[in-house]
Amino acid sequence: MRITVLSDNLPARGLEAEWGLSLYLEYQGHALLLDTGASDLFARNAEALGLDLGAVAFGVLSHAHWDHANGMDAFFARNPSAPFYLQASCGEVCFDHAPGLWRYEGPKRGLLDRFAPRLRYVTGAFSPLPGVHLLPHTTPGLARRGAAAGMFCLRAGQWVPDDFSHEQTLVLETPRGLVLLSSCCHAGADTIIREVQAAFPGRPIQAIVGGFHLYETPDQEVRALARRLRDTGVAQVLTGHCTGERGFALLREELGAQVAQFSTGLVVEL
């Protein structure tokens, strides 16, 4: 399989960058799209790279945040038929909380309603294609992580800590093992690996790909995560976006060549 980074925080190959993430996946003769970044930048970069968004069989929204969802209208303008898969709890519900401030973090207002005919809401694990799996979180108590990070959802008029039930992991089967794609890993990259190991017992994990949401995490916590990642037995770690430059540097110190950083335009064969 091949992964092309259409949108990330870091620019490369003469392409534009933004705070957002979008990955173009080529898997067993199919083109897939994970997320659409924060704008139409991913689509412009795809055109510059000679990648046809019109050929994408389906898209996946990793979670209900603006920096992954806000380019969806640009995708639908270029692809007349491919559906987009979301977890059933996705909606305009996500906020960050700081003293005296509630900041909306969800998709553009009205975006999900406007393109409702193209959206496929799934509950629980789902396989849209042989060898391709969408997994929700199965770890209990994730709302505690949301509260600690100041991440909340507005549901039925009530503020509740985000339990990341709107987040899903994209899992691809390959001859060398499973490839996990989780765009922000709000539940923790090691937690996600353990969830996949429980869903696919005995299957090796070739790689985890995505942002790890470490850009504001204290150094000692990043180093502890690196050690837990090593303990999972994952072979490769490919990260960027919300991991942050400092977070990546610390992971690299702990994991060495096991971890690599992605940037806009990077192409990876797994």
Side-chain angles (χ1 to χ4, degrees), residues 102-119:
W102 291 96
R103 184 178 64 200
Y104 178 64
E105 293 290 337
K108 286 186 290 191
R109 296 289 192 182
L111 179 68
L112 300 182
D113 287 340
R114 186 152 43 101
F115 293 103
R118 301 286 299 274
L119 305 181

Side-chain angles (χ1 to χ4, degrees), residues 7 28 45 68 96 158 197 213 215 229 245:
S7 177
Q28 295 186 357
N45 284 343
H68 300 264
D96 273 351
Q158 300 292 320
Q197 288 173 327
H213 215 264
Y215 65 98
L229 285 172
E245 289 292 302

Side-chain angles (χ1 to χ4, degrees), residues 190-251:
D190 58 320
T191 298
I192 290 166
I193 293 172
R194 297 299 187 193
E195 290 176 342
V196 173
Q197 288 173 327
F200 297 89
R203 299 285 294 275
I205 307 294
Q206 181 188 359
I208 183 168
V209 181
F212 290 174
H213 215 264
L214 301 176
Y215 65 98
E216 294 180 323
T217 302
D219 290 7
Q220 66 272 18
E221 293 183 25
V222 178
R223 293 187 185 280
L225 171 64
R227 293 190 289 272
R228 295 197 302 272
L229 285 172
R230 185 185 297 114
D231 290 343
T232 67
V234 62
Q236 297 172 260
V237 176
L238 182 60
T239 190
H241 181 43
C242 55
T243 298
E245 289 292 302
R246 178 63 178 168
F248 174 76
L250 292 169
L251 290 176

Side-chain angles (χ1 to χ4, degrees), residues 37-111:
S39 70
D40 68 346
L41 180 142
F42 82 100
R44 291 185 276 116
N45 284 343
E47 291 168 4
L49 293 168
L51 298 175
D52 180 14
L53 293 178
V56 169
F58 62 84
V60 173
L61 183 64
S62 64
H63 62 292
H65 284 175
W66 63 273
D67 50 336
H68 300 264
N70 277 6
M72 290 176 73
D73 49 357
F75 172 74
F76 292 134
R78 289 163 173 80
N79 185 306
S81 59
F84 235 88
Y85 291 99
L86 303 76
Q87 279 293 310
S89 60
C90 276
E92 298 176 356
V93 297
C94 296
F95 290 78
D96 273 351
H97 179 56
L101 174 66
W102 291 96
R103 184 178 64 200
Y104 178 64
E105 293 290 337
K108 286 186 290 191
R109 296 289 192 182
L111 179 68

